[in-house]
Amino acid sequence: MTESQPIPSPEDALAPSPPSAVRRVALLGNPNTGKTTLFNALTGHRARVGNYSGVTVEKREGALKGAERPVTLVDLPGTYSLSAHSADEFVAVEVLLGLRADSPRPDALVVVADASNLERNLFLATQVLELGLPTFLALNMTDVAEQDGVAIDATKLAAALGVPVIETNARAREGVDKLKRLLEREDLPDRPRVPRVYPDEFLKARDALREELAPRLPADFGLDAFAASRLLLEIDGEFEARAVAQGGSDARAAIERTRTELESAGLRVRSLEARSRYQWIREHTNSCFTETQGHGRSSHDMTERVDRILTHRIYGTGIFLLLMALVFQAIYSWSGPLMDLIDSAFGALGMWVGGLMPPGPLQSLLVDGVIAGVGGVVIFIPQILILFAFIALLEDVGYMARAAFLMDRLLSRAGLSGRSFIPMLSSFACAVPGLMATRTIENQRDRLATILVSPLMSCSARLPVYTIMIAAFVPDHRMLGIFNLPGLVLLAMYLVGIAVAIPVTWILKKTILKSKTPSFLIELPPYRKPLAANVLSRMIERGREFLVRAGTIILAVSIVVWALSYFPRPDAVANEYEIAVESINAQYLHAFSQAGISTAGGGIPTNSEETAQWEAYYADLALDDAVDFEEWGRQLDRAAVHRDGEYLRNSYLGRMGKLLEPAVRPLGWDWRIGMAALASFPAREVIIAILGVIFDLGPEGLDDQQGMIEKLRAAEWPDGRPLFDLPVALGIMVFFALCMQCAATLATMKRETNSWRWPVFAFVYMTVLAYLGAMITYQVSSLLL
Amino acid sequence: MPTLDDLKPGTKAIVEELEGDDLFAQRLMEMGLLEGTTVEFIRRAPLGDPIEVRVNNRYQLSLRREDARRIRLQE
């Protein structure tokens, strides 16, 4: 029989939770127990995803589907233990204790346990029983246990633990309805009795400590028996940190003294819980298991056979590389057609909307600010969906842990773990899905370090910058017979990001991201058939999250930068343009009047489209020889392009560029390049379009790489020296390889780290590195070349 | 005394002691790897590190060799 602890003292009794219309039920369990699959089955794949405030932990909630009373399910992060040694690990405990303002205390709990590995799962389950909340045990993956030859007597287990046990197989939706009915019933199970896990000496010491600390701690600390146990057991844990922060050095002294007393009584504090708890579990639940024959091959045998290939030195590595090449190819290339489609759809929408209204600030705001901004957000969706299709699939199958196993050695040298490989690889296509992929990294410090350095990987948005600079300024020399210089320069740009990322990671991990938790201790779960519904809901969830959370920030940035580049629109520019158009037209209209043709009432042409119409209209009048309509149109277009360039050069952004010129001179840049770099803050590839306008190439010149190259080559300093040469071009490339000119990445970083601190930090360190890198590149190559 | 890192693939042993009194040791114990637990060495990763072990004949765990050297085994 299970012994229970003495009746809790009055202050132990939880205040009855306030009657609320919505019942809250928290789901917790070890990783790889099918907890999320169960959550999806219970909620019908509808999760509201966000962040707990102040930490990077994902908050997932969903309504119990088809329930008669409203029930909110809270999916807590998978964990092996409630012991918490960081703010992130502490979130689950805070939620369970009702210590968080952003998540009311749950009314009931569901512990999801893997039946095929029950003993370890009961470690967490018995910890949870100490919370004294109505608890259900969902005994999941009973099919796997059966296959492995373990039969569990659920009735005996329920009696041993004192909680209802529901056998489930979430993948096949078995037991899900039963659990659902129990969760929506008016009456919840009684509070479980607290298993008497710890030795008496510990309980005595704990209660003494509790009495000593109670007057020193504020009432809302919640120093009940559970909290006091955790406080004492978790050396350098979060409970201790909280107690010391609120109770001062006296509290610290009391905790340390109690621990010393326990140690001298022969109880090792560090191992006390694990030893006592596993012993309790064995004593009280061993009679619930029977070994059976099992049927067919066990899940372990099958997994082991697959792993013999997938983690094989040659085959395993080969398959891994092929798989990664596939993932990379998919996000890098397969997303291309979809992205082009989105791009042209928004382009067409912009044209259409632009045609509906007269030119002016409102038209430009809608077309160049809003529509282009929304397009700049939606453009990321194909890459996000494709990457998360792969990640969800690989994770559901169980391969992600193997990928980490294979790659750990490589990344451990920089202080990371194998978990960081896929996020970093993805970042070579685009850092946005790459950062979103870091959620598979359990160690939060490692995850942050990965988030901070991933944007150094050369993404596909840098490629247009490299391409145009290389095409314009890198001579096509052959090197050593087989290499050519442009190719080598391109390779160097990719390598420069990696070469900088390694020391940056190393320094981060040695300083601000030094971690207490071991960085590599992962379970290699048995392989499983993936569930299409899991994969799909993961993709949709990520896509929607990006649109809502990051999308709004990106749009806001686009509009701000649009306004800076549009205003103030000085009249002088408009006047100058009108004078230019008049003088061009006067020159051509002269021929009409000479030929005795009246053009009154026909207005005057302002661009090449209109001159072409004139040409068609007056075709019969044999003016062709006297009037070169094409040249006329070209001159008019050039005037418009020059006007747009003038507007941009005189915009607030242009003024900022001029102000900044002294700062960018050491890079060999003039204010126009500096301004283009500023204007590319929303996205790096924008610099090409901006350079086009600044150097009077006009918007239609953007697709004209040769025209662009000529403009760049022709650009001059005021004294007539060419503005661009090879050192300047190399410096620009290095700048863009290292800089953080990408609002989407910054917005995603804010979303992932749940704070502006990290995106600001990343922006500053990358901009400094980009500046120094560009300066060194320019100065050194000027000397050498 | 041999450590977990000294095991040959396919061999089993019983844990005698975890060296060190830190969070890593605590995490291992919470995951059910403590004195008296049976561990089976499954394999090394292709690059030589980390290693894969089977804990208690129940599940596979991967850890780095430098950490495995802290897990002392019964002779």
Side-chain angles (χ1 to χ4, degrees):
Chain A
M1 241 344 273
T2 312
E3 298 165 85
S4 37
Q5 231 162 281
I7 303 294
S9 52
E11 65 262 36
D12 267 345
L14 303 158
S17 39
S20 69
V22 183
R23 174 179 287 171
R24 290 176 69 83
V25 178
L27 248 67
L28 65 170
N30 286 183
N32 310 306
T33 52
K35 179 171 60 66
T36 298
T37 308
L38 186 62
F39 175 87
N40 284 341
L42 288 167
T43 57
H45 289 272
R46 263 167 222 280
R48 288 188 304 274
V49 183
N51 264 89
Y52 288 103
S53 61
V55 287
T56 58
V57 179
E58 185 178 69
K59 181 179 182 184
R60 283 165 59 86
E61 296 189 357
L64 187 63
K65 194 189 173 195
E68 283 174 11
R69 56 177 297 155
V71 177
T72 298
L73 291 175
V74 184
D75 187 11
L76 292 173
T79 179
Y80 297 101
S81 166
L82 288 183
S83 73
H85 292 82
S86 71
D88 284 304
E89 288 174 351
F90 199 48
V91 169
V93 179
E94 289 177 301
V95 170
L96 294 171
L97 293 176
L99 295 173
R100 290 197 79 89
D102 53 359
S103 181
R105 182 159 206 208
D107 303 295
L109 308 174
V110 176
V111 180
V112 186
D114 172 0
S116 67
N117 187 12
L118 193 56
E119 193 175 286
R120 195 198 67 201
N121 281 255
L122 288 179
F123 184 89
L124 177 70
T126 55
Q127 280 184 326
V128 168
L129 293 183
E130 289 181 20
L131 291 162
L133 284 168
T135 302
F136 299 90
L137 185 78
L139 194 57
N140 199 28
M141 312 212 283
T142 42
D143 54 332
V144 181
E146 231 169 85
Q147 194 186 335
D148 289 0
V150 180
I152 296 165
D153 186 332
T155 321
K156 272 192 189 169
L157 186 63
L161 298 173
V163 296
V165 173
I166 302 95
E167 291 179 75
T168 56
N169 175 7
R171 291 193 162 237
R173 300 191 52 91
E174 285 163 19
V176 172
D177 286 330
K178 185 176 174 198
L179 180 60
K180 192 186 285 180
R181 278 197 303 277
L182 289 171
L183 294 180
E184 60 180 344
R185 266 176 62 158
E186 190 51 47
D187 53 325
L188 288 168
D190 293 338
R191 300 184 192 290
R193 47 177 194 271
V194 176
R196 196 185 172 86
V197 166
Y198 305 112
D200 288 340
E201 299 99 298
F202 173 79
L203 293 178
K204 231 177 284 162
R206 178 198 70 186
D207 291 340
L209 176 69
R210 195 176 151 200
E211 243 164 66
E212 187 179 349
L213 286 182
R216 293 180 214 283
L217 293 173
D220 65 359
F221 185 89
L223 187 65
D224 57 9
F226 171 80
S229 301
R230 311 283 358 145
L231 180 59
L232 195 47
L233 287 169
E234 295 172 21
I235 299 167
D236 290 333
E238 280 297 301
F239 265 114
E240 180 181 341
R242 258 180 91 229
V244 171
Q246 298 182 20
S249 55
D250 285 357
R252 185 196 297 276
I255 296 165
E256 281 172 2
R257 197 191 61 239
T258 311
R259 285 187 187 144
T260 317
E261 284 165 12
L262 285 173
E263 295 277 351
S264 47
L267 295 178
R268 275 180 64 197
V269 175
R270 183 70 81 176
S271 56
L272 180 64
E273 183 184 13
R275 284 182 184 162
S276 324
R277 199 172 287 286
Y278 275 110
Q279 194 185 347
W280 188 95
I281 292 167
R282 272 173 216 142
E283 275 170 22
H284 292 82
T285 65
N286 255 358
S287 61
C288 309
F289 303 90
T290 31
E291 299 271 329
T292 64
Q293 196 57 51
H295 40 83
R297 216 175 281 287
S298 75
S299 63
H300 170 55
D301 280 352
M302 289 202 308
T303 296
E304 182 48 33
R305 282 160 75 95
V306 177
D307 264 340
R308 240 169 261 160
I309 300 167
L310 290 187
T311 59
H312 187 271
R313 210 150 50 99
I314 295 158
Y315 308 128
T317 310
I319 292 170
F320 174 78
L321 291 176
L322 273 178
L323 208 58
M324 290 304 115
L326 183 72
V327 171
F328 187 74
Q329 176 74 9
I331 39 180
Y332 201 86
S333 309
W334 299 354
S335 59
L338 277 171
M339 291 169 78
D340 289 345
L341 201 70
I342 291 169
D343 201 31
S344 47
F346 277 92
L349 180 68
M351 292 275 275
W352 181 69
V353 170
L356 293 180
M357 48 204 311
L362 186 63
Q363 184 213 41
S364 182
L365 169 66
L366 279 180
V367 176
D368 303 321
V370 179
I371 294 176
V374 173
V377 174
V378 177
I379 199 86
F380 288 100
I381 289 295
Q383 288 179 326
I384 290 173
L385 292 187
I386 292 174
L387 179 63
F388 276 94
F390 278 106
I391 287 181
L393 191 72
L394 294 177
E395 196 147 32
D396 223 34
V397 170
Y399 188 77
M400 284 296 270
R402 270 75 184 183
F405 177 68
L406 294 174
M407 283 298 109
D408 185 61
R409 181 78 199 269
L410 210 63
L411 288 149
S412 69
R413 302 198 174 164
L416 293 176
S417 84
R419 289 278 192 199
S420 299
F421 186 80
I422 289 185
M424 291 210 163
L425 176 78
S426 312
S427 298
F428 279 102
C430 177
V432 168
L435 296 194
M436 293 172 79
T438 60
R439 281 187 217 180
T440 53
I441 305 172
E442 292 118 347
N443 182 312
Q444 290 304 320
R445 299 291 173 104
D446 279 10
R447 178 170 173 226
L448 261 179
T450 310
I451 285 175
L452 291 174
V453 298
S454 284
L456 285 170
M457 306 299 127
S458 265
C459 64
S460 54
R462 275 131 158 151
L463 202 52
V465 184
Y466 299 156
T467 314
I468 198 114
M469 289 294 151
I470 288 175
F473 303 106
V474 178
D476 193 3
H477 283 319
R478 285 217 160 268
M479 313 273 289
L480 305 171
I482 43 171
F483 303 110
N484 69 345
L485 196 56
L488 287 177
V489 170
L490 185 62
L491 179 67
M493 288 308 134
Y494 278 86
L495 292 180
V496 93
I498 302 173
V500 168
I502 293 169
V504 169
T505 313
W506 192 84
I507 291 168
L508 285 174
K509 288 287 297 175
K510 286 275 171 216
T511 55
I512 53 173
L513 295 179
K514 208 175 166 104
S515 99
K516 275 192 279 180
T517 34
S519 51
F520 200 75
L521 185 62
I522 63 167
E523 194 183 345
L524 302 176
Y527 289 110
R528 265 173 237 293
K529 249 182 263 162
L531 276 188
N534 274 359
V535 174
L536 211 64
S537 73
R538 189 83 176 277
M539 290 167 67
I540 293 169
E541 211 173 283
R542 291 290 179 255
R544 186 197 298 150
E545 228 187 308
F546 173 78
L547 286 182
V548 176
R549 306 262 165 177
T552 40
I553 301 172
I554 302 169
L555 181 59
V557 171
S558 309
I559 290 174
V560 168
V561 173
W562 164 82
L564 289 176
S565 63
Y566 186 83
F567 293 109
R569 300 253 129 187
D571 288 338
V573 176
N575 294 339
E576 192 196 345
Y577 170 68
E578 261 162 48
I579 293 166
V581 169
E582 263 170 42
S583 88
I584 294 166
N585 283 337
Q587 181 192 331
Y588 286 94
L589 291 173
H590 182 65
F592 283 81
S593 51
Q594 276 203 331
I597 299 166
S598 164
T599 56
I604 51 162
T606 55
N607 57 40
S608 55
E609 245 172 73
E610 287 168 15
T611 55
Q613 284 166 13
W614 275 50
E615 186 172 16
Y617 186 76
Y618 293 104
D620 303 339
L621 299 174
L623 270 163
D624 283 6
D625 300 334
V627 180
D628 182 345
F629 284 94
E630 268 176 39
E631 176 56 26
W632 187 5
R634 256 199 299 278
Q635 286 190 16
L636 286 171
D637 286 351
R638 229 175 280 143
V641 163
H642 179 72
R643 174 201 59 190
D644 293 343
E646 278 295 287
Y647 274 135
L648 184 59
R649 289 187 285 271
N650 286 289
S651 68
Y652 292 118
L653 208 57
R655 295 176 194 187
M656 286 158 76
K658 281 173 198 157
L659 266 176
L660 270 179
E661 192 175 60
V664 297
R665 283 302 275 270
L667 280 59
W669 297 5
D670 75 343
W671 66 273
R672 291 172 296 183
I673 306 177
M675 173 195 165
L678 274 183
S680 65
F681 178 65
R684 296 180 183 88
E685 68 272 24
V686 169
I687 192 178
I688 308 292
I690 296 284
L691 285 176
V693 178
I694 296 178
F695 291 111
D696 281 356
L697 186 65
E700 67 272 23
L702 294 185
D703 294 327
D704 171 13
Q705 203 190 12
Q706 204 45 48
M708 182 79 176
I709 289 170
E710 275 159 28
K711 283 283 181 188
L712 292 179
R713 283 182 180 152
E716 289 174 345
W717 287 97
D719 63 10
R721 280 182 301 128
L723 177 56
F724 291 93
D725 54 15
L726 183 54
V728 170
L730 289 174
I732 290 175
M733 282 190 271
V734 168
F735 185 87
F736 274 82
L738 300 179
C739 75
M740 180 44 125
Q741 300 295 87
C742 178
T745 302
L746 289 168
T748 309
M749 204 177 275
K750 152 77 174 67
R751 162 74 194 98
E752 293 298 324
T753 63
N754 200 19
S755 153
W756 279 111
R757 193 172 50 188
W758 296 113
V760 167
F761 175 79
F763 181 80
V764 170
Y765 101 78
M766 286 179 68
T767 306
V768 168
L769 286 182
Y771 182 86
L772 294 177
M775 185 168 71
I776 293 167
T777 307
Y778 168 72
Q779 300 287 358
V780 171
S781 56
S782 296
L783 285 177
L784 296 180
L785 298 170
Chain B
M1 201 183 281
T3 70
L4 184 54
D5 188 41
D6 302 322
L7 279 186
K8 296 213 162 17
T11 57
K12 289 185 186 178
I14 292 173
V15 175
E16 168 82 23
E17 191 191 5
L18 301 186
E19 205 177 280
D21 187 39
D22 60 0
L23 189 57
F24 179 77
Q26 186 183 330
R27 289 273 184 261
L28 277 179
M29 292 187 284
E30 287 173 341
M31 292 177 83
L33 199 155
L34 57 170
E35 308 93 273
T37 305
T38 306
V39 285
E40 178 184 352
F41 191 103
I42 307 282
R43 62 171 58 83
R44 252 182 256 291
L47 297 175
D49 201 12
I51 62 169
E52 178 184 350
V53 295
R54 187 157 165 82
V55 181
N56 230 348
N57 200 27
R58 274 284 152 249
Y59 75 97
Q60 276 85 258
L61 188 67
S62 171
L63 66 167
R64 289 184 182 152
R65 291 182 62 186
E66 57 166 321
D67 296 323
R69 281 194 277 276
R70 298 177 39 191
I71 302 173
R72 297 217 200 105
L73 304 173
Q74 290 181 9
E75 307 249 9

